[in-house]
């Protein structure tokens, strides 16, 4: 066996449309007709729904307003730094109508983390929310971006998105939306999304308009094939169904599947800005949510939280998990909580924009522990340690050719060359593919860990820990956690004077550990904090050329936390 193939992609894929034109202005043979009463998005708390015509109008209004007021034009970059908001997709599509590029940032990021993104991406404008405005203004100032160029979805800044939309709608058209040349969607950048890839600090992944478009069509074809087997009531995504928009829109899973695939299929997305579990249960019942797109920690809550028994979740027909592994035992518990739901996993990456594998619904449940089967148009090979290709049931690194692949890392030829190799995308995940073509992610070969589905790059935390005056060397490794999946913990070598202080007063050891943890907490977003703790060691094991032997410490950490 040399290569593994997903089914071939038969459907046509436009290559002359922007993502906004594809989703808002065009039809496609695989796109079902949405009932006119079904809104595209629903505000979770207020319950306000917005439909197609209103979204199109708001998108034009905002594009016109951005063009009039801020002169946003072709290739300018707009950073969206906000929790999910009903106008979030409008901001994405308005930027695309202007030929601009969108870069979404985690709204929990601190000033330095946002500043890094503003600088790498060369931001022209920030769209934020009152809850993140203070950070946005601080980062904008440090980046030399005038505070007038920070606007908000709500009414907390001088200029709100809504007021710009109204201004744009009142004014003469100030911009001309361009139809792309044939093939141009494949090279024109739509997003700069941040991912660490295999190692190091987050890098800007350049994503074309074509990539999310083709991924949506791959997913539509995947469900169409499955529909041939499934009776109507078991079909996956039906127009008029209601999906929970609880995944963060800034992440590739939320952006491509949560917004674009759901709306393509005619579902209404309930926009949930902040995930609070009991409120989430309320929302499921209040909005008759039928489709849940989640990450494993949210599923842990569904299985274990005592409040669940107070809610009738029988209306949930579909649950998709991804971004981190979901254990078979959790699925066993989940079946009891959601008796009427199809349950399974998908698997993808920022760099593959997005889905590589998806559970098949020929049966009600995905194969336990499996990340699904390769979706349409995907070719895979599994490369063993010795560089040869694995057959069925043999572990190795998954490398894929996907039609939705990203263009590469912005201004980082070296990392691009290492990850995108002769048309193959190196996932850095160790997998096994079974004879029935189910893909099991068995380990991660790359450095990054996943905390609540978010990437954490050990090298980034090590850089931060090394700034601490008592630390001379460090290595960060994951420890497993039943809720978050993984948590970062640090091994640290102390400076001689810290060692002396501890010799004089052993209580100093705990103070130093606390201070290292605080240093990271002060400088990094919450999910990157050293929740796994700090252990002191005499030396960090390295190979003769000085490369960290992370696996040795990963195994040691495993032994430390074992009861
Ligand atoms: N099992 C084990 C999984 C799994 C997994 C991802 O943050 P990124 O770059 O991207 C993502 C994207 C997730 C995603 C996209 C589209 C889709 O259909 C879907 O289905 C639910 C999920 O997380 O991190 C990429 C890395 O996350 C790990 C894996 O290590 C991958 O390289 N990962 N999904 N089901 N691990």
């Amino acid at each position: 066996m040399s290569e593994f193939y997903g089914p071939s992609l038969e459907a046509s894929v436009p290559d002359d449309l922007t993502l906004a034109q594809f989703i808002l202005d065009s039809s496609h043979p695989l796109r079902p007709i949405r009932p006119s009463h079904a809104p595209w998005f629903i505000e979770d708390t207020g319950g306000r729904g917005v439909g197609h015509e209103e979204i199109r109008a708001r998108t034009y209004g905002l594009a016109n307003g951005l063009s009039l007021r801020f002169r946003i034009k072709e290739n300018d970059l707009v950073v969206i730094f906000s929790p999910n908001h009903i106008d979030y997709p409008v901001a994405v599509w308005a930027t695309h109508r202007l030929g601009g590029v969108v870069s979404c940032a985690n709204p929990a990021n601190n000033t330095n983390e946002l500043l890094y993104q503003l600088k790498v991406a060369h931001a022209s404008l920030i769209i934020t929310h009152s809850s993140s405005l203070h950070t946005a203004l601080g980062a904008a100032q440090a980046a030399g971006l005038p505070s007038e160029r920070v606007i908000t979805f709500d009414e907390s800044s001088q200029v709100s998105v809504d007021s710009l939309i109204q201004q744009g709608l009142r004014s003469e058209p100030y911009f001309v939306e361009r139809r792309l040349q044939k093939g141009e969607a494949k090279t024109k950048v739509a997003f700069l999304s941040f991912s660490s890839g295999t190692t190091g600090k987050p890098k800007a992944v350049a994503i074309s308009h074509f990539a999310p478009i083709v991924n949506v069509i791959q997913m539509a074809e995947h469900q169409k094939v499955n529909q041939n087997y499934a009776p109507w009531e078991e079909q996956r995504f039906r127009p008029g169904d209601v999906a929970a928009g609880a995944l963060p829109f800034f992440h590739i899973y939320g952006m491509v599947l949560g917004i674009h695939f759901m709306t393509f299929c005619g579902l209404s997305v309930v926009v949930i800005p902040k995930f609070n579990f009991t409120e989430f249960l309320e929302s499921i019942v209040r909005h008759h949510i039928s489709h849940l797109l989640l990450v494993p920690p949210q599923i842990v809550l569904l299985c274990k939280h005592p409040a669940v028994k107070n809610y009738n979740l029988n209306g949930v027909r579909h649950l998709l998990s991804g971004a981190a592994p979901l254990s078979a035992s959790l699925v066993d518990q989940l079946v009891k909580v959601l008796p009427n739901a199809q349950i399974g996993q998908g698997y993808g990456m920022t760099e593959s924009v997005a889905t590589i594998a998806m559970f098949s619904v020929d049966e009600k449940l995905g194969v336990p522990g499996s990340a699904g089967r390769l979706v349409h148009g995907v070719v895979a090979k599994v490369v063993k340690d010795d560089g040869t290709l694995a057959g069925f049931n043999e572990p190795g690194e998954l490398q894929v050719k996907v039609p939705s692949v990203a263009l590469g890392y912005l201004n980082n030829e070296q990392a691009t060359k290492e990850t995108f190799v002769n048309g193959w995308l190196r996932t850095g995940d160790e997998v096994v593919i079974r004879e029935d073509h189910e893909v099991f992610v068995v380990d991660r070969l790359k450095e990054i860990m996943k905390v609540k589905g978010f990437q954490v790059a050990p090298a980034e935390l090590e850089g931060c820990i090394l700034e601490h005056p008592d630390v001379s060397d460090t290595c960060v490794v994951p420890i497993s956690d039943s809720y978050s999946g993984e948590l970062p913990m640090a091994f640290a070598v102390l400076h001689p004077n810290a060692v002396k202080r501890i010799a004089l007063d052993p209580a100093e050891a705990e103070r130093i550990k606390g201070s290292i943890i605080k240093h990271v907490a002060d400088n990094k977003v919450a999910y990157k904090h050293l929740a796994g703790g700090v252990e002191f060691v005499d030396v960090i094991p390295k190979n003769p050329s000085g490369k960290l032997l992370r696996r040795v410490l990963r195994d040691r950490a495993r032994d430390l936390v074992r009861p």
Side-chain angles (χ1 to χ4, degrees):
M1 171 62 65
S2 54
E3 288 171 358
F4 304 88
Y5 290 85
S8 58
L9 181 63
E10 306 287 347
S12 62
V13 184
D15 60 7
D16 57 353
L17 297 177
T18 64
L19 185 55
Q21 291 163 344
F22 168 70
I23 207 78
L24 292 170
D25 311 340
S26 72
S27 60
H28 188 276
L30 291 179
R31 189 166 187 170
I33 294 166
R34 176 192 290 264
S36 55
H37 66 269
W40 281 41
F41 298 101
I42 300 168
E43 244 170 7
D44 185 23
T45 39
R48 180 173 75 101
V50 287
H52 186 205
E53 282 318 308
E54 188 177 351
I55 292 174
R56 285 190 80 209
R58 289 182 80 74
T59 305
Y60 276 116
L62 183 59
N64 209 26
L66 288 172
S67 168
L68 263 169
R69 186 120 175 199
F70 297 105
R71 304 283 186 267
I72 299 293
K73 56 179 187 325
E74 190 88 23
N75 298 327
D76 281 354
L77 188 124
V78 173
V79 165
I80 307 180
F81 177 60
S82 170
N84 292 358
H85 188 277
I86 197 152
D87 277 331
Y88 200 119
V90 169
V92 172
W93 298 325
T95 307
H96 287 162
R97 291 216 187 276
L98 295 167
V101 181
V102 175
S103 187
C104 301
N106 183 342
N109 278 355
N110 64 31
T111 310
N112 280 335
E113 289 166 325
L114 179 62
L115 174 62
Y116 171 77
Q117 185 159 344
L118 297 182
K119 282 184 168 164
V120 173
H122 296 291
S124 298
L125 184 91
I126 304 175
I127 303 181
T128 186
H129 182 266
S130 52
S131 53
S132 305
L133 179 61
H134 181 72
T135 310
L137 286 170
Q141 189 185 24
L145 197 66
S147 60
E148 308 82 75
R149 296 187 85 85
V150 179
I151 67 173
T152 49
F153 282 120
D154 49 352
E155 300 291 335
S156 56
S157 65
Q158 298 159 355
V159 181
S160 71
V161 165
D162 192 56
S163 68
L164 262 187
I165 291 174
Q166 301 313 329
Q167 186 189 4
L169 287 173
R170 277 193 312 268
S171 313
E172 288 293 305
Y174 193 76
F175 75 102
V176 181
E177 184 177 0
R178 196 163 72 79
R179 171 108 189 198
L180 304 180
Q181 316 245 314
K182 190 100 201 76
E184 195 184 344
K186 291 188 170 172
T187 53
K188 184 165 176 58
V189 179
F191 294 100
L192 286 183
S193 293
F194 277 68
S195 162
S196 285
T198 53
T199 179
K201 275 193 127 177
K203 293 174 267 292
V205 184
I207 293 175
S208 68
H209 286 268
F210 183 81
I213 293 175
V214 67
N215 195 230
V216 164
I217 292 172
Q218 286 171 287
M219 284 295 301
E221 192 146 315
H222 179 76
Q223 86 136 347
K224 178 174 156 257
V225 169
N226 285 305
Q227 275 183 14
N228 294 336
Y229 300 94
W232 171 248
E233 65 276 9
E234 282 174 26
Q235 284 179 18
R236 277 187 162 184
F237 304 103
R238 299 179 311 200
D241 285 339
V242 183
L247 292 171
F249 290 163
F250 70 80
H251 186 255
I252 200 76
Y253 176 18
M255 178 59 74
V256 178
L257 266 67
I259 296 180
H260 289 89
F261 182 55
M262 289 300 101
T263 51
F264 181 90
C265 292
L267 279 81
S268 304
V269 177
V270 177
V271 178
I272 298 173
K274 198 170 167 54
F275 185 79
N276 168 299
F277 186 64
T278 45
E279 287 171 14
F280 180 60
L281 294 172
E282 300 272 347
S283 303
I284 294 176
V285 174
R286 187 168 64 246
H287 297 291
H288 306 287
I289 288 176
S290 50
H291 286 61
L292 304 179
L293 277 67
L294 300 176
V295 292
Q298 296 166 324
I299 293 170
V300 172
L301 290 171
L302 271 175
C303 294
K304 307 212 186 283
H305 199 290
V308 171
K309 62 179 182 315
N310 303 331
Y311 294 84
N312 180 348
L313 303 179
N314 290 345
V316 176
R317 291 197 1 257
H318 185 89
L319 181 143
L320 175 64
S321 171
L326 180 71
S327 68
S329 71
L330 268 183
V331 176
D332 283 346
Q333 297 174 51
L334 202 52
V335 172
K336 297 186 192 104
V337 180
L338 304 174
N340 298 325
Q342 300 161 335
I343 298 170
Q345 294 192 64
Y347 160 79
M349 290 171 78
T350 308
E351 289 82 346
S352 63
V353 200
T355 316
I356 296 171
M358 180 59 54
F359 83 102
S360 141
V361 279
D362 304 355
E363 292 129 24
K364 191 172 168 203
L365 291 183
V367 172
S370 164
R373 294 191 201 165
L374 300 176
V375 293
H376 289 67
V378 175
V379 185
K381 58 183 182 181
V382 178
V383 182
K384 293 195 278 193
D385 281 351
D386 61 7
T388 61
L389 296 187
F392 290 124
N393 300 314
E394 286 185 291
E397 184 192 8
L398 178 68
Q399 302 192 10
V400 288
K401 277 187 181 163
V402 291
S404 56
V405 68
L407 298 168
Y409 298 114
L410 183 77
N411 299 331
N412 195 333
E413 219 174 295
Q414 181 65 25
T416 303
K417 249 179 17 205
E418 284 166 13
T419 301
F420 303 84
V421 186
N422 300 328
W424 292 97
L425 168 66
R426 296 188 60 175
T427 65
D429 291 314
E430 186 174 48
V431 305
V432 161
I433 301 186
R434 284 194 334 200
E435 280 101 339
D436 57 5
H437 291 268
E438 294 289 332
V439 179
F440 289 77
V441 180
V442 291
D443 204 351
R444 216 175 290 121
L445 302 164
K446 56 189 169 189
E447 258 179 22
I448 64 142
M449 60 186 90
K450 278 274 170 126
V451 180
K452 297 186 184 159
F454 295 123
Q455 294 185 6
V456 176
E460 183 190 344
L461 293 189
E462 286 155 6
C464 177
I465 295 167
L466 283 173
E467 293 162 4
H468 191 281
D470 290 328
V471 176
S472 67
D473 201 1
T474 185
C475 174
V476 172
V477 295
I479 57 168
S480 50
D481 179 77
S482 60
Y483 175 63
S484 298
E486 292 178 312
L487 292 172
M489 86 158 271
F491 287 96
V493 178
L494 291 173
H495 268 304
N497 77 17
V499 177
K500 275 188 213 143
R501 284 180 359 245
I502 293 172
L504 292 174
D505 175 8
E508 181 70 0
E510 285 310 308
R511 282 197 288 274
I512 295 176
K513 282 185 187 175
S515 153
I516 295 170
I517 290 170
K518 180 169 183 309
H519 176 71
V520 174
D522 287 344
N523 286 286
K524 297 287 167 193
V525 60
Y527 63 86
K528 295 183 180 173
H529 295 178
L530 293 175
V534 176
E535 285 297 322
F536 296 142
V537 284
D538 294 334
V539 65
I540 300 290
K542 302 207 170 122
N543 75 7
S545 59
K547 191 175 178 322
L548 268 178
L549 294 173
R550 199 179 296 283
R551 279 195 171 232
V552 175
L553 288 176
R554 206 170 86 170
D555 293 345
R556 193 175 318 165
R558 220 170 262 162
D559 293 341
L560 277 174
V561 292
R562 201 165 281 149

